Amino acid sequence: MLGFLTARQAGLDDPLRLRRAESTRRVLSLTLNPDREVDRIHGNGINTIDIEVIEGRYMLSGGADGVIVIYDLENYSGNLQYACKAVCTVGRSNRYVHKFSVETVQWYPYDTGMFVSSSFDKTMKVWDTETLKPAEVFEFEGNVYSHHLSPIARKHSLIAVGTKEPKIQLCDLKSGSRIHVLQGHKAEVLSVRWSPRYEHILATASADSKVKVWDVRRASGCLFTLDQHNGDKSKGASEAVNTAHNGRVNGLCFTGDGLYLLTTGTDDRMRLWNSATGENTLVNYGKVSNESRKKLQFTVSRGSSPELVFVPCESSVAAYALHTGELVTMLRGHYNNVDCCEFHPDYQELYSGGKDCNILAWIPALRAADVEEESKSANQAAADQSTVSTAFQDAWSSDED
Amino acid sequence: MELSRRDRLSELVEQLTTSGEPQLNQASMKEIKKICKVSNDCIDHVYHSVISQLNQEHAEVRLSAFQIASELFSRSHHFRTLLVDNFQEFLELTVETDSEQPLPPPKEVARKLRSLAIQTVQSWQTSYGAAYKKLALGYHFLKQVKKVDFQDAEARTVAERSREVDRQRKMQRIYKERVEAASKDMEESYQEIEATLTEMESCMSLLFPEFDVIDIQTTNSSPPSSQPANECLSVEEQPCCSKDLKDDGREGMMQKKESREEKKREEEEEDDNDNEEDEEEEEEEEESGEEEEGESLDEHLFIRNSGLISHAYSLDLNLSPGLRVKETEDNEAVVSTVKDLHRLITNKHLPAVQGWVQVFTKSGAEQQLLRRALDLKRSLEATLQKHQELHIDYKTRVRKVMKAASDGEEDDDDDFDEVPEKEGYEPHIPEHLRAEYGLDPSPSTSTAAVTNTPPAQRPAAPPPLSSSSSSSRRLKRLTEEDQDPTCAAATLRHLKQNLPLPKQSSSSSSGPSSSQSSSDQKAVGAPVVPFGLDLYYWGQEQPNAGKIVKMSSQHQFWVPIDVDEEVENKELLAESRSRYISFPGSFTPVNHYCSASLGNGKLCQRQDRLKCPFHGPIIPRDQEGRPCRQEDRLREEQEKRRKSEEQPDWRDAELMRDIEAATGENLGSDRVGKKGKGRKKKYPNLSDLKQGANTARSRLEKKVLNKSSMRRIAEVMAKADRRKHDKFSNQFNYALQ
């Protein structure tokens, strides 16, 4: 660490280097930390969380009981110990609350004054954060599994919506209407994602085990369909042509730079695709247990040198190296299935929500105190942690000798 | 050193967990702790072995493993970290957080494990929850998601509790409904029951007069001379029952109700006419009267009143304890009503009332309802009791109603009802049935019938059995039938006219009874032989016996040339002339015993005719069971020798093992001795899970679903299938199967 710092000071290294080294260390040391807690507001499973990108301060969470909660993640108290407070809640008593399970929540990418939520009550609501009232309600024919706003779009403000219908709806926030339909899937659309690199590129994943990539400017059809065998006919059966998975595809995620696309399916596989060509990179992540019938929200770290994929895997969150497929760690802490996880890019923190109603914060472990500091901090630490440390001490009774 | 410690640890954990006891062995536990104290590696090892034991599908193993874990949890930080890291699995295995992974049997131990685990988790949470985040999370998970109530001693989950509440509510609703239905029912039938009771009451008072206390008082106060008259009157006022009362019964009743004095007097009055004693009494009375002339007026009054000479006079009364009411024509209606009412009460009202009482008590309904139902029940039971005390002698009233009906209308179908089925021609017709057959009543007239008596004359001799009008009608019909050639009567007539009756010839010669008996005597000796061709052609030459006539071709003109139309068959010829009579002889029971010695001093008691299944052919033997003949004895000895050679003495398993131990060579003792002996149970202390409940179902299953019977059934089914296939394989709908 000191070496990095001096090199940085001396201008020997690229500034990115230190940053990357430190963030990599932090990402790799993610752990369940008693210092950070998230208030338990949800009385039911948590389906989705989203952290806004402007300040990185507020987090949205949507529960299976229709409740939406906004948390403040920023710790201004100065203490290490911090419990993320719920800033505001769209609870069951709110008259605008979703009737059924909220499947997706997302901040408006440019302003925290607005967020969008969609639910199994067949509606998608655009909320005003200040008043907690929906500014716009879109209604659909089927349950809404997923929606997404492009994080970089300047030229359009489209929300792509995947519902129980095989058609993908495009809703325009400007006009408040559904302006477009993308046809091509044969079953319900479980996940939709805009590319973080090109504002018109949209990827959709469906229960017909296909993943299609669209250019929304082109009305005629999709750009291409991801094929797990890369067009090699001999490997797959005839019906497996152009399928991304052998089961329902319920998770989609672009890497931070938008060059790669990750998909997960109920065939317990995760695949990495080149998002420009649609080529399967054939990275083997091993078995990624996945039984969800709904959307699975997973995330990719940003800024670390081997990028990590955090994907819910039953009651734990598995962290894989993106390009090698190596399982780095299993973050175990939930007591029931994990449905969503979100990476905080600024602080290298991970938040995960599961059916056990917990939102767990995975915080990088602090670097162990260096040798010089130890002398002065020893006393203080002893005083501070006298209460806690008893718990960590062995208590062998003397009569066992 | 390290390795031996590990082995020792594994051994200890296994020993502790498979002990099957609810508490850990303190000595072993202490040893584990001692070893664990040495290094974290040991704790690692113990942790893994404990977790693997926790994964066993046996609640007792799990319980013991959990106890080890909780012992170590409070001791070692390292163990805590390990366990908390894997806390999900730990909870699944001990608290049953995953509904798809229920705790294994036995059930009681599983329940105990669960409650113990929940308590322990709570105590862990209070002492370590702050330090171990995951522990706190697990605790909250249990508390908030699984809704485990840590205060609840039963450690039930919220689901169980809500289920309980639901059930109670449901039961309450059901009870309420029942109570409502029952009270409604009671309202409806209360009147009816009351009516029944009063009816019964009055019927019984009709059958048997009530003597109330008031009655007695009035009779006592009334002048004694008029009292018996009164009594008689009251008895006679009851139209039907006084006669039915047997005397002793009445006396019993009297005894209950009246004073002793009156009773005696009445007895006197009743009996004075026919008793010889009475005369004596009279004399005595006179004597005493002479003697005690000057005695008090009371005495006289007493004598006058009672007709008894002295107070000391004793009378033996034969009192039968019960009452007895006999059904006669006079009280028939009342008794039948009583009977009906009794049946009504026992079959309908009493069960209904009992049901209500049950419903009311079970559901804790209003006291009033319950009291009412109880009152009803009590009165019904009292009535029944009373009825029983009456001891009514019911007449057997069989088909009385039927009789009345048949009296009213004349239906000649009734007469046909009891005629037994007869088939075929009967040459001998009993005298009293002749009319039924449409024959003349007597044999003398039947001879006349042979000589073509016109049927029109027959009604002149009407059969005495049935009423005249119906029989005449029937006869008329019969004569009509005679004309009809298709009916049986015409055939009968034809037979009658054409066949000479054998009976008549015999009866004319020597009387029917004697000839009958002589022929009977002959029939006893002679075998009964079915009629056959040989009898038909008895003593004659059969024209074409033993010849087989071959059917010539049915074709018009295509006839095979070289076919003999007739073939002689010697066998057939012989058969038609002779007859086989099989004579099996008579069964003679076996009287001899096998009587081979059984080794225990007894002789074999089997009674086989030729050969005993155990001791071979039956031969004459002496008292000890030895064969009498020399050759038999030799044979038996040989047999014995052969048998002993088959299983020589030295192959005794024990002996062989000894020899093996001594010489170190394998003689195969385990092969000999271990025949059919099952493998020893690995952990004898654990309760056996495989030992299925000995239920009727399991026993049946064992019988029905055992391998051999299944195989047998499968074979039979396959055979049936195959047969069908063989038969119908060329038919498409069977071939399709």
Side-chain angles (χ1 to χ4, degrees):
Chain A
M1 185 67 196
L2 285 175
F4 278 120
L5 279 177
T6 42
R8 172 78 182 85
Q9 268 175 345
L12 296 173
D13 272 352
D14 190 341
L16 200 63
R17 197 173 147 84
L18 168 64
R19 194 177 157 189
R20 178 163 290 156
E22 180 59 14
S23 61
T24 306
R25 186 198 68 79
R26 283 174 70 90
V27 166
L28 288 176
S29 63
L30 279 183
T31 170
L32 196 62
N33 202 315
D35 293 343
R36 184 67 60 89
E37 276 178 17
V38 182
D39 277 356
R40 286 194 191 84
I41 305 291
H42 290 283
N44 224 320
I46 290 150
N47 285 329
T48 174
I49 52 181
D50 188 47
I51 300 169
E52 47 109 0
V53 290
I54 303 150
E55 292 176 89
R57 181 173 174 183
Y58 296 107
M59 179 171 75
L60 270 172
S61 72
D65 49 357
V67 173
I68 299 171
V69 184
I70 301 172
Y71 294 97
D72 185 359
L73 302 181
E74 204 72 55
N75 177 7
Y76 287 117
S77 65
N79 288 337
L80 271 176
Q81 196 98 23
Y82 176 65
C84 300
K85 302 231 168 25
V87 179
C88 45
T89 308
V90 183
R92 298 293 329 164
S93 54
N94 191 313
R95 55 183 291 217
Y96 304 108
V97 71
H98 280 290
K99 284 198 193 67
F100 303 136
S101 161
V102 174
E103 286 304 299
T104 316
V105 287
Q106 195 190 5
W107 288 105
Y108 182 61
Y110 302 111
D111 192 356
T112 52
M114 186 158 84
F115 64 90
V116 185
S117 70
S118 60
S119 156
F120 268 7
D121 62 4
K122 304 182 184 177
T123 60
M124 178 172 75
K125 295 183 179 175
V126 181
W127 298 81
D128 180 355
T129 317
E130 281 303 314
T131 58
L132 285 185
K133 280 181 191 161
E136 182 67 61
V137 178
F138 296 91
E139 294 192 353
F140 301 95
E141 288 81 42
N143 297 344
V144 183
Y145 281 106
S146 168
H147 73 262
H148 198 232
L149 280 160
S150 173
I152 55 156
R154 300 273 171 195
K155 292 181 184 139
H156 69 81
S157 54
L158 292 177
I159 310 174
V161 183
T163 67
K164 204 164 184 180
E165 306 295 312
K167 294 172 198 162
I168 295 144
Q169 311 270 354
L170 293 180
C171 303
D172 195 353
L173 275 181
K174 281 180 196 154
S175 65
S177 61
R178 290 183 271 166
I179 57 160
H180 201 53
V181 166
L182 301 176
Q183 290 193 355
H185 281 297
K186 292 191 182 67
E188 58 228 53
V189 178
L190 296 176
S191 184
V192 291
R193 279 279 170 169
W194 290 96
S195 161
R197 196 175 188 90
Y198 307 104
E199 60 177 296
H200 295 290
I201 300 297
L202 174 73
T204 59
S206 159
D208 62 3
S209 58
K210 288 185 181 174
V211 175
K212 288 177 188 280
V213 179
W214 313 78
D215 186 336
V216 291
R217 291 166 297 189
R218 227 175 73 155
S220 58
C222 64
L223 289 179
F224 50 81
T225 304
L226 302 184
D227 182 10
Q228 52 183 325
H229 303 301
N230 284 331
D232 191 346
K233 290 262 174 19
S234 62
K235 277 181 187 158
S238 58
E239 65 263 24
V241 168
N242 283 338
T243 56
H245 286 269
N246 293 327
R248 301 153 65 90
V249 189
N250 55 9
L252 268 183
C253 183
F254 279 97
T255 56
D257 51 13
L259 291 176
Y260 291 96
L261 176 65
L262 279 156
T263 60
T264 57
T266 50
D267 56 352
D268 291 343
R269 291 275 173 266
M270 182 161 71
R271 296 208 160 88
L272 180 70
W273 313 82
N274 186 329
S275 63
T277 61
E279 182 197 9
N280 187 355
T281 58
L282 300 173
V283 175
N284 181 15
Y285 295 98
K287 186 183 174 190
V288 183
S289 184
N290 181 354
E291 287 162 2
S292 175
R293 300 192 57 80
K294 304 194 289 189
K295 191 190 77 165
L296 193 72
Q297 191 188 351
F298 63 103
T299 186
V300 181
S301 73
R302 244 167 284 163
S304 57
S305 79
E307 297 280 19
L308 294 190
V309 189
F310 297 100
V311 57
C313 185
E314 289 183 341
S315 66
S316 50
V317 179
Y320 292 96
L322 180 68
H323 291 286
T324 60
E326 182 196 354
L327 177 63
V328 179
T329 55
M330 290 286 268
L331 305 176
R332 300 164 65 85
H334 282 283
Y335 285 87
N336 211 329
N337 281 6
V338 183
D339 282 328
C340 54
C341 56
E342 189 66 37
F343 188 75
H344 194 303
D346 298 345
Y347 299 115
Q348 289 85 33
E349 294 165 350
L350 184 77
Y351 292 87
S352 64
K355 287 203 175 71
D356 59 353
C357 314
N358 282 333
I359 297 178
L360 296 186
W362 305 87
I363 308 298
L366 286 181
R367 187 186 288 274
D370 282 337
V371 187
E372 303 103 277
E373 298 169 46
E374 187 147 14
S375 55
K376 63 178 176 189
S377 66
N379 295 329
Q380 187 198 347
D384 275 353
Q385 298 185 346
S386 60
T387 52
V388 177
S389 60
T390 51
F392 293 115
Q393 276 163 12
D394 288 356
W396 298 108
S397 51
S398 55
D399 61 340
E400 272 115 38
D401 293 322
Chain B
M1 182 60 193
E2 189 61 31
L3 204 68
S4 69
R5 228 186 263 155
R6 268 166 181 266
D7 287 347
R8 180 70 191 140
L9 271 179
S10 308
E11 196 182 304
L12 280 172
V13 168
E14 182 169 331
Q15 183 194 325
L16 277 177
T17 51
T18 54
S19 68
E21 280 164 30
Q23 296 303 326
L24 292 177
N25 180 1
Q26 283 307 315
S28 311
M29 198 57 226
K30 206 168 264 184
E31 199 176 343
I32 288 184
K33 283 188 229 166
K34 205 168 154 188
I35 299 174
C36 283
K37 211 176 161 184
V38 176
S39 77
N40 278 355
D41 285 349
C42 298
I43 291 177
D44 270 339
H45 187 72
V46 170
Y47 168 76
H48 286 300
S49 41
V50 163
I51 287 295
S52 70
Q53 290 296 322
L54 268 181
N55 272 303
Q56 300 272 336
E57 285 293 309
H58 198 299
E60 285 172 5
V61 177
R62 283 197 191 180
L63 180 64
S64 304
F66 175 77
Q67 282 164 336
I68 296 176
S70 65
E71 287 269 342
L72 291 177
F73 193 89
S74 56
R75 299 286 193 287
S76 162
H77 167 63
H78 188 65
F79 191 82
R80 284 196 286 269
T81 354
L82 287 173
L83 191 67
V84 165
D85 262 355
N86 199 12
F87 210 56
Q88 290 102 320
E89 193 190 343
F90 183 74
L91 287 185
E92 268 170 23
L93 293 177
T94 55
V95 194
E96 201 178 16
T97 49
D98 188 359
S99 54
E100 280 167 26
Q101 283 184 46
L103 290 180
K107 253 186 192 153
E108 310 80 54
V109 186
R111 206 174 300 130
K112 194 179 161 197
L113 167 65
R114 198 178 127 81
S115 57
L116 180 67
I118 284 173
Q119 281 166 17
T120 316
V121 167
Q122 193 186 15
S123 67
W124 287 352
Q125 158 71 14
T126 49
S127 43
Y128 304 104
Y132 299 90
K133 176 109 195 242
K134 255 186 103 173
L135 179 62
L137 282 174
Y139 177 75
H140 283 290
F141 173 69
L142 281 183
K143 199 170 177 180
Q144 275 160 18
V145 181
K146 289 292 165 190
K147 306 277 195 285
V148 172
D149 187 352
F150 286 94
Q151 316 310 326
D152 195 347
E154 292 259 318
R156 293 175 300 177
T157 57
V158 74
E160 283 170 47
R161 254 172 286 143
S162 67
R163 226 177 290 139
E164 183 76 14
V165 169
D166 273 358
R167 218 196 52 195
Q168 269 176 7
R169 204 177 299 139
K170 207 170 117 193
M171 289 310 283
Q172 241 163 25
R173 213 184 50 232
I174 292 170
Y175 275 140
K176 205 177 159 195
E177 273 170 20
R178 275 199 199 154
V179 166
E180 271 171 16
S183 58
K184 205 173 143 201
D185 223 13
M186 196 163 82
E187 283 307 316
E188 279 170 2
S189 44
Y190 190 75
Q191 296 294 329
E192 200 188 328
I193 292 176
E194 285 288 291
T196 313
L197 279 176
T198 27
E199 210 173 331
M200 192 80 173
E201 218 38 52
S202 48
C203 276
M204 279 198 277
S205 65
L206 278 178
L207 274 181
F208 194 85
E210 283 272 346
F211 295 101
D212 285 337
V213 185
I214 308 152
D215 273 354
I216 295 162
Q217 279 164 358
T218 53
T219 50
N220 276 346
S221 60
S222 67
S225 61
S226 68
Q227 207 269 329
N230 252 354
E231 185 71 49
C232 285
L233 201 78
S234 74
V235 166
E236 270 157 12
E237 267 168 5
Q238 312 302 327
C240 52
C241 41
S242 62
K243 294 175 207 160
D244 308 329
L245 290 176
K246 285 180 184 171
D247 279 355
D248 46 5
R250 185 157 148 227
E251 245 82 68
M253 194 65 185
M254 300 290 174
Q255 194 193 27
K256 281 183 209 160
K257 307 269 161 87
E258 294 178 30
S259 66
R260 183 170 161 264
E261 203 180 84
E262 277 176 359
K263 220 187 318 165
K264 277 182 183 170
R265 182 181 39 73
E266 195 177 301
E267 193 67 26
E268 271 315 298
E269 282 168 1
E270 276 178 11
D271 292 348
D272 55 1
N273 293 331
D274 46 22
N275 263 353
E276 294 177 356
E277 260 186 2
D278 279 9
E279 290 168 19
E280 291 172 9
E281 281 168 29
E282 224 80 61
E283 289 167 8
E284 278 173 359
E285 196 183 358
E286 282 168 22
E287 284 165 13
S288 66
E290 287 165 10
E291 283 166 9
E292 299 161 12
E293 195 94 12
E295 279 190 33
S296 66
L297 212 127
D298 284 352
E299 192 75 7
H300 283 287
L301 197 67
F302 166 72
I303 293 168
R304 197 173 298 154
N305 282 349
S306 64
L308 288 181
I309 312 131
S310 75
H311 292 286
Y313 189 82
S314 73
L315 249 179
D316 284 337
L317 296 181
N318 188 14
L319 304 176
S320 78
L323 302 169
R324 221 157 269 281
V325 175
K326 200 162 191 174
E327 187 181 359
T328 59
E329 262 134 57
D330 295 333
N331 61 6
E332 194 181 307
V334 182
V335 168
S336 68
T337 316
V338 166
K339 201 178 167 192
D340 288 345
L341 287 175
H342 177 252
R343 200 184 299 136
L344 187 69
I345 287 174
T346 44
N347 289 351
K348 193 181 157 202
H349 293 324
L350 198 58
V353 172
Q354 271 165 346
W356 299 334
V357 168
Q358 219 168 32
V359 166
F360 291 150
T361 43
K362 237 187 208 170
S363 54
E366 297 164 51
Q367 283 296 313
Q368 205 182 349
L369 278 174
L370 184 61
R371 203 173 304 133
R372 214 165 146 198
L374 280 174
D375 283 347
L376 265 184
K377 192 185 165 195
R378 212 170 299 131
S379 51
L380 280 175
E381 276 171 351
T383 314
L384 283 184
Q385 177 69 26
K386 216 169 181 180
H387 174 264
Q388 208 181 4
E389 276 170 4
L390 271 182
H391 292 292
I392 298 176
D393 247 354
Y394 293 117
K395 257 201 288 193
T396 49
R397 41 184 89 203
V398 195
R399 284 196 274 154
K400 217 160 120 190
V401 188
M402 286 264 298
K403 227 188 280 170
S406 65
D407 283 346
E409 47 179 312
E410 260 185 65
D411 192 2
D412 49 1
D413 281 347
D414 283 353
D415 300 81
F416 288 114
D417 272 350
E418 297 177 13
V419 176
E421 280 288 321
K422 288 199 174 122
E423 281 182 342
Y425 165 64
E426 288 173 282
H428 305 282
I429 296 162
E431 189 72 10
H432 59 97
L433 287 178
R434 292 190 78 84
E436 254 180 288
Y437 281 76
L439 298 175
D440 296 300
S442 65
S444 61
T445 47
S446 82
T447 46
V450 176
T451 57
N452 259 338
T453 322
Q457 283 177 4
R458 245 175 278 158
L465 285 178
S466 53
S467 61
S468 61
S469 63
S470 73
S471 73
S472 70
R473 208 200 304 164
R474 202 181 61 220
L475 278 179
K476 205 165 81 193
R477 206 179 59 208
L478 279 177
T479 52
E480 280 164 11
E481 278 177 354
D482 274 355
Q483 315 302 327
D484 186 3
T486 57
C487 75
T491 321
L492 271 177
R493 194 163 64 96
H494 182 75
L495 281 171
K496 205 163 56 190
Q497 285 164 358
N498 293 347
L499 280 180
L501 283 173
K503 180 187 150 202
Q504 272 159 6
S505 62
S506 66
S507 69
S508 61
S509 63
S510 63
S513 60
S514 62
S515 75
Q516 198 75 17
S517 63
S518 66
S519 69
D520 278 351
Q521 279 166 2
K522 275 180 207 162
V524 169
V528 178
V529 174
F531 190 74
L533 267 182
D534 54 336
L535 290 182
Y536 187 78
Y537 293 110
W538 195 255
Q540 296 172 24
E541 191 63 30
Q542 289 173 34
N544 44 9
K547 278 180 189 161
I548 295 172
V549 180
K550 282 202 177 164
M551 203 53 90
S552 58
S553 172
Q554 296 281 310
H555 204 273
Q556 273 184 321
F557 37 86
W558 288 108
V559 180
I561 313 161
D562 49 348
V563 170
D564 289 334
E565 299 237 326
E566 283 188 0
V567 183
E568 279 223 0
N569 191 331
K570 283 270 172 350
E571 280 175 39
L572 266 181
L573 187 67
E575 209 168 273
S576 64
R577 283 183 186 163
S578 61
R579 167 176 284 260
Y580 294 110
I581 298 169
S582 59
F583 183 65
S586 60
F587 174 77
T588 50
V590 179
N591 288 323
H592 54 257
Y593 297 97
C594 168
S595 65
S597 77
L598 287 175
N600 57 358
K602 285 181 189 162
L603 301 181
C604 179
Q605 293 295 309
R606 284 190 62 97
Q607 287 186 300
D608 299 284
R609 196 173 293 277
L610 296 173
K611 188 178 178 186
C612 173
F614 304 112
H615 305 105
I618 293 184
I619 44 175
R621 293 168 191 270
D622 59 10
Q623 294 291 317
E624 277 92 52
R626 281 193 301 260
C628 294
R629 275 180 304 213
Q630 189 61 37
E631 65 259 30
D632 288 336
R633 204 171 296 170
L634 278 178
R635 190 168 49 81
E636 215 147 86
E637 266 167 29
Q638 247 172 5
E639 198 96 328
K640 209 181 275 174
R641 209 175 307 135
R642 198 158 50 83
K643 224 173 235 173
S644 65
E645 265 167 20
E646 265 176 19
Q647 182 73 22
D649 285 350
W650 62 269
R651 283 185 74 95
D652 176 50
E654 292 279 303
L655 182 69
M656 270 170 84
R657 224 165 287 139
D658 285 346
I659 297 171
E660 272 172 43
T663 59
E665 274 179 59
N666 186 12
L667 300 172
S669 67
D670 36 20
R671 247 181 313 155
V672 179
K674 278 258 176 102
K675 231 179 272 174
K677 216 181 198 177
R679 199 164 54 89
K680 227 176 133 191
K681 244 176 85 182
K682 203 172 172 193
Y683 305 118
N685 293 330
L686 291 180
S687 55
D688 195 359
L689 298 183
K690 287 198 184 96
Q691 183 186 19
N694 187 20
T695 58
R697 185 194 166 87
S698 71
R699 287 194 299 271
L700 263 179
E701 253 172 11
K702 216 180 274 171
K703 274 262 186 319
V704 173
L705 299 179
N706 76 0
K707 227 178 239 168
S708 66
S709 65
M710 294 285 272
R711 202 184 312 126
R712 204 175 59 235
I713 288 166
E715 253 167 36
V716 170
M717 303 276 279
K719 201 186 267 174
D721 270 2
R722 203 165 46 240
R723 202 161 55 223
K724 204 178 351 175
H725 186 262
D726 289 346
K727 235 177 183 172
F728 304 118
S729 57
N730 49 355
Q731 292 183 17
F732 77 96
N733 52 343
Y734 291 99
L736 283 180
Q737 282 179 3

